Amino acid sequence: MDRRRWIFIPPAVWIASVMLIQILGAFAAPTSSDMPDQCPEGSRNCAHVLMSIDGTPEAVLSATMDWIEMQQKTKVEQESETTSHTVFRTALMMFPDDVFIETGCTENGTWIQVHSESRLGFGDGGVNQNRIDSLLEHLTTIEFETSEC
């Protein structure tokens, strides 16, 4: 085999791997856009947080959606006034991660719940927790109008 042909093997392997990940990711897609209650026990590819934040649920979700628009390789699957389901894709191999966001009111104020989980694999190298931390850091820099829930 000519040495120059070997140069095509790595790109071909990468393309085949990405295609396989997309096919497997489609089969592993959640059956609903409802917020999961928590991460599966012992999971190393999931992060879930619930926190209070000043502002109306709609304003908090709007700021969250603005943050999502700034991210690369995202696709909003479902969005309502207080919920969203977005698929994020990792940079090199395009692994799909589902991010569920829900906001609401209680007598104590507005809350936001974020769940980020990889569809494939057993670990995520902290990607899902880092994604949530980045979102919450973004939200804490915004000064929302205070209002009663």
Side-chain angles (χ1 to χ4, degrees):
M1 184 179 217
D2 188 351
R3 291 179 129 204
R4 289 178 288 186
R5 290 185 184 171
W6 285 99
I7 199 165
F8 295 110
I9 291 176
V13 169
W14 178 78
I15 290 169
S17 298
V18 169
M19 288 176 60
L20 180 62
I21 289 166
Q22 301 317 303
I23 292 167
L24 293 174
F27 284 112
T31 56
S32 132
S33 287
D34 294 339
M35 170 68 72
D37 293 331
Q38 60 188 357
C39 290
E41 191 172 325
S43 173
R44 295 181 314 181
N45 67 346
C46 179
H48 190 102
V49 69
L50 173 66
M51 71 176 270
S52 296
I53 194 161
D54 290 331
T56 65
E58 296 80 15
V60 172
L61 185 66
S62 176
T64 300
M65 297 310 292
D66 291 343
W67 177 83
I68 287 172
E69 286 179 17
M70 291 187 293
Q71 308 305 303
Q72 296 179 355
K73 297 182 176 82
T74 62
K75 179 182 178 200
V76 177
E77 296 286 322
Q78 179 272 331
E79 181 182 359
S80 71
E81 286 185 10
T82 58
T83 64
S84 120
H85 172 205
T86 303
V87 177
F88 284 68
R89 297 216 179 260
T90 60
L92 182 62
M93 296 303 288
M94 309 257 310
F95 283 99
D97 295 344
D98 290 290
V99 177
F100 300 89
I101 298 165
E102 185 174 16
T103 60
C105 272
T106 64
E107 60 276 353
N108 299 328
T110 299
W111 52 264
I112 182 169
Q113 184 173 206
V114 184
H115 180 95
S116 183
E117 185 172 359
S118 302
R119 285 186 190 175
L120 303 172
F122 300 106
D124 65 4
V127 169
N128 288 300
Q129 185 63 53
N130 291 343
R131 182 178 293 122
I132 289 176
D133 292 344
S134 175
L135 169 60
L136 296 180
E137 182 179 318
H138 170 75
L139 291 176
T140 59
T141 64
I142 297 173
E143 211 169 299
F144 294 103
E145 286 185 30
T146 56
S147 67
E148 296 285 326
C149 282

